Amino acid sequence: MHSQQVTAEPPSNDRVERDSTVGDVPGVLRSPASGADHAPLVFDVIIAGCGPTGAMLAAELRLHDVRVLVLEKETEPKSFVRIVGLHIRSLELMAMRGLLDRILPHGRRRPAGGFFAAIPKPAPKGLDSAHAYLLGIPQPVIEHLLEEHAIELGAQVRRGCSVAGFEQDDEGVTVELSDGEQLRSRYLVGCDGARSTVRKLLGVGFPGEPSRTDTLMGEMKAGVPQEEIAATVTEVSKTHQRFWLRPFGERVYSVVVPAAGVSDRAEPPTLNDFKQRLRAIAGTDFGVHSPRWLSRFGDATRLAERYRVGRVLLAGDAAHIHPPIGGQGLNLGVQDAFNLGWKLAAQIRGWAPETLLDTYQAERHPVAEDVLDNTRAQMELTSTEPGPQAVRRLLTELMDFDEVNRHLIEKITAIGIRYDFGEGPDLLGRRLRDIDVKQGHLYGLLHRGRGLLLDRTERLTVGGWSDRVDYLADPTAVLDVPCVLLRPDGHVAWIGDDQRDLDDHLSRWFGKPAT
Ligand SMILES: Cc1cc2nc3c(=O)[nH]c(=O)nc-3n(C[C@H](O)[C@H](O)[C@H](O)COP(=O)(O)OP(=O)(O)OC[C@H]3O[C@@H](n4cnc5c(N)ncnc54)[C@H](O)[C@@H]3O)c2cc1C
């Protein structure tokens, strides 16, 4: 075990913070008057889990000098190579933090279309993004790159440490590891995946539906020629959407096939299970052999009732699970982290407006609700029953209408999200694309995770907020409004040209100005 002694006290917003909603969760909030002897408060935030969500959150917090420790149960990074798709909004986030160039060489660019229920329609022309493609990349690679980025920024990651318990009080959270060690921080964030210990201990409900179908997934060699496999797969895929054998290196295939029933997820399937199911569905087992790894996934769909109880928050799969159709889970988790990072940092640095941290749940819970719904819909569309097949044919026709296709793609890629910031032009609450500005690209100005005022009038100022918000005067910026105020996550917090109105909005999102 190693720990970093940091003696400088950061400015703190940690006045006694009584979350009015805490009271209905028994035993969660204790008063320090109970006389507990706490471990020293060395960290501002402890993150449980170093998956993509935890690593992204750690990096975002470090941009604001927050003392962060990530505890990861596994001693080694994951080894099995599942290819995941990074969708447009996640690629934009990577560009906003200067990570895209580092990530791109490890993945394969694919067209952005064809992901809704795997209906093979190309993306509509002119998607509103400078990064309008999908990047297929092995999940362990993206996890490694995000963890490396977090460590470079100064996050501590301790592997082989499992969070087993915690207790929160008015000033912080005492986190207990499975070996009994106790650590203390101001906040704890559960990024510990679908079976989140943090969520369970918090007593937060996780309503939804259990798995109804299981799918086997693995990598193995095949014993028949590729052309033969391709011909059979093309035929079978006409009726089975959860079925493929995709070449993946020297005679190695990524194999996906529906399981016979729902089983215990902790029990990995055997090669024999794959052979039986391939024979049942394709009439041949393709002579599969020499598996690299075998796994299964279900279609359980659940959403945490709350994302925050006092000083403990949830993000990523710990807060929501759904079938992988459309490839949205990792993207959703990384985007949760991007939304939460600057808000939690603001709380710790002492400038967060009263309700800023609660906007995390207010903004992200509805987004997850929508993703859960679209995956439910997509799963229905993969059914081989005549009714869902008919709906699938109808939707396939409807997707020839540009508006329909665009709506579905903007949903899956998360570029259609509009947070509710109140009345205003359509751009308010949406993310701004990576437009050209006089210094190059807009996203190049967001690497430090600060707010940005982009001023085409050249007469506004960020005044006393200049320690949190950057300023760019650029009459040539490709925008059809006079000025925009961007939050650190790139969402448009204000549009206008009036200084007093701007000051009100700076206060709303960035707290009191420095004196
Ligand atoms: C077959 C399949 C295909 C998929 N394809 C895609 C795709 O194309 N695109 C996409 O966006 N998503 C995809 N997903 C979903 C994606 O893999 C998950 O949504 C993503 O891994 C969630 O990231 P996370 O960091 O929230 O959780 P996880 O990746 O589950 O990470 C949680 C981490 O917490 C650790 N942990 C657990 N308990 C503790 C504890 N008590 N203490 C400390 N550490 C703990 C775990 O070891 C783990 O490292 C797919 C999923 C499946 C099953």
Side-chain angles (χ1 to χ4, degrees):
M1 187 188 96
H2 60 287
S3 67
Q4 179 193 39
Q5 284 295 335
V6 182
T7 44
E9 275 294 295
S12 172
N13 229 16
D14 284 0
R15 55 198 180 247
V16 175
E17 210 187 319
R18 285 215 170 264
D19 178 345
S20 56
T21 55
V22 165
D24 57 4
V25 181
V28 166
L29 192 69
R30 284 190 309 117
S31 155
S34 61
D37 235 357
H38 294 310
L41 214 166
V42 175
F43 300 101
D44 296 314
V45 180
I46 290 179
I47 297 173
C50 197
T53 306
M56 187 78 202
L57 179 61
E60 286 298 291
L61 290 166
R62 281 305 304 154
L63 287 176
H64 304 276
D65 274 342
V66 169
R67 301 168 302 177
V68 56
L69 171 67
V70 188
L71 298 170
E72 168 54 51
K73 162 176 92 164
E74 301 295 335
T75 46
E76 297 293 329
K78 288 182 198 90
S79 58
F80 69 82
V81 180
R82 180 202 295 151
I83 305 286
V84 292
L86 284 187
H87 284 298
I88 297 173
R89 185 57 185 151
S90 298
L91 296 169
E92 290 184 342
L93 304 192
M94 302 303 159
M96 272 191 246
R97 296 298 183 257
L99 288 171
L100 193 56
D101 289 344
R102 209 193 270 197
I103 286 171
L104 284 179
H106 299 276
R108 254 181 54 201
R109 286 191 203 208
R110 293 177 53 194
F115 288 95
F116 192 84
I119 294 174
K121 292 281 175 191
K125 292 224 162 45
L127 276 180
D128 179 36
S129 176
H131 309 279
Y133 51 89
L134 174 119
L135 190 76
I137 186 165
Q139 180 155 342
V141 173
I142 189 78
E143 286 183 6
H144 169 73
L145 292 170
L146 289 177
E147 182 179 340
E148 185 180 72
H149 171 58
I151 291 171
E152 278 169 13
L153 289 171
Q156 278 190 52
V157 178
R158 278 174 59 184
R159 288 194 164 269
C161 293
S162 188
V163 171
F166 63 83
E167 224 168 32
Q168 60 172 316
D169 54 57
D170 290 346
E171 275 137 29
V173 187
T174 303
V175 176
E176 185 162 311
L177 307 188
S178 50
D179 64 3
E181 186 187 355
Q182 293 198 343
L183 297 161
R184 194 147 160 85
S185 60
R186 289 172 204 275
Y187 288 87
L188 167 67
V189 188
C191 300
D192 48 347
R195 289 163 201 203
S196 169
T197 303
V198 174
R199 187 191 64 238
K200 287 176 195 157
L201 291 172
L202 209 46
V204 166
F206 203 37
E209 307 92 64
S211 262
R212 291 177 305 163
T213 59
D214 260 12
T215 306
L216 307 182
M217 183 180 201
E219 276 173 30
M220 58 205 76
K221 293 196 169 179
V224 295
Q226 186 166 341
E227 308 73 56
E228 201 177 305
I229 295 176
T232 311
V233 169
T234 307
E235 200 48 39
V236 178
S237 308
K238 286 180 185 157
T239 44
H240 287 88
Q241 269 70 47
R242 284 183 296 122
F243 172 86
W244 73 68
L245 276 87
R246 289 191 186 137
F248 189 75
E250 184 75 6
R251 293 180 80 81
V252 175
Y253 288 80
S254 159
V255 179
V256 165
V257 60
V262 177
S263 345
D264 179 3
R265 198 79 4 93
E267 275 290 309
T270 63
L271 182 64
N272 211 25
D273 292 335
F274 276 79
K275 288 186 167 184
Q276 276 178 9
R277 294 308 295 155
L278 287 169
R279 282 199 291 267
I281 286 172
T284 166
D285 62 17
F286 303 98
V288 291
H289 63 97
S290 313
R292 282 183 178 177
W293 55 267
L294 304 172
S295 132
R296 70 172 86 238
F297 61 89
D299 65 344
T301 305
R302 297 182 181 279
L303 179 59
E305 273 168 347
R306 296 163 59 180
Y307 281 14
R308 178 186 177 201
V309 179
R311 293 176 172 278
V312 184
L313 297 108
L314 299 171
D317 275 15
H320 37 69
I321 54 167
H322 54 81
I325 190 157
Q328 298 165 93
L330 183 150
N331 288 272
L332 186 61
V334 163
Q335 290 160 28
D336 284 348
F338 215 73
N339 184 286
L340 175 60
W342 70 278
K343 295 174 182 173
L344 188 52
Q347 183 79 9
I348 287 158
R349 301 312 304 174
W351 55 259
E354 187 83 26
T355 54
L356 184 69
L357 195 51
D358 287 327
T359 65
Y360 166 59
Q361 158 155 346
E363 291 171 7
R364 296 304 297 171
H365 197 271
V367 169
E369 239 167 0
D370 193 54
V371 170
L372 263 57
D373 259 359
N374 85 49
T375 54
R376 284 185 182 106
Q378 291 184 72
M379 285 305 283
E380 288 300 314
L381 293 166
T382 64
S383 160
T384 49
E385 294 295 314
Q389 287 281 316
V391 178
R392 187 180 178 88
R393 283 192 293 276
L394 188 61
L395 187 67
T396 307
E397 282 172 31
L398 288 174
M399 283 174 74
D400 284 336
F401 292 96
D402 185 82
E403 289 260 312
V404 175
N405 196 12
R406 189 175 298 275
H407 178 78
L408 293 175
I409 286 201
E410 288 184 352
K411 209 181 249 307
I412 294 267
T413 59
I415 58 171
I417 291 171
R418 183 178 189 225
Y419 297 139
D420 182 6
F421 293 172
E423 299 240 322
D426 183 61
L427 187 60
L428 185 69
R430 294 187 185 277
R431 102 296 179 227
L432 186 59
R433 61 174 277 145
D434 193 4
I435 59 171
D436 289 340
V437 290
K438 65 181 179 193
Q439 275 105 326
H441 297 290
L442 175 72
Y443 288 3
L445 306 178
L446 299 174
H447 289 187
R448 293 197 296 161
R450 293 156 52 89
L452 176 74
L453 179 69
L454 176 51
D455 179 7
R456 292 179 63 231
T457 70
E458 299 182 288
R459 44 174 191 78
L460 300 182
T461 166
V462 292
W465 289 272
S466 61
D467 57 341
R468 286 150 260 175
V469 182
D470 291 327
Y471 174 76
L472 176 70
D474 182 1
T476 67
V478 189
L479 260 185
D480 52 10
V481 292
C483 304
V484 286
L485 174 64
L486 295 181
R487 305 193 315 186
D489 61 357
H491 279 259
V492 176
W494 174 79
I495 298 168
D497 58 5
D498 177 69
Q499 183 68 51
R500 197 174 298 171
D501 193 32
L502 168 64
D503 289 350
D504 288 347
H505 284 80
L506 283 163
S507 297
R508 173 180 171 188
W509 292 109
F510 297 97
K512 294 194 181 86
T515 46

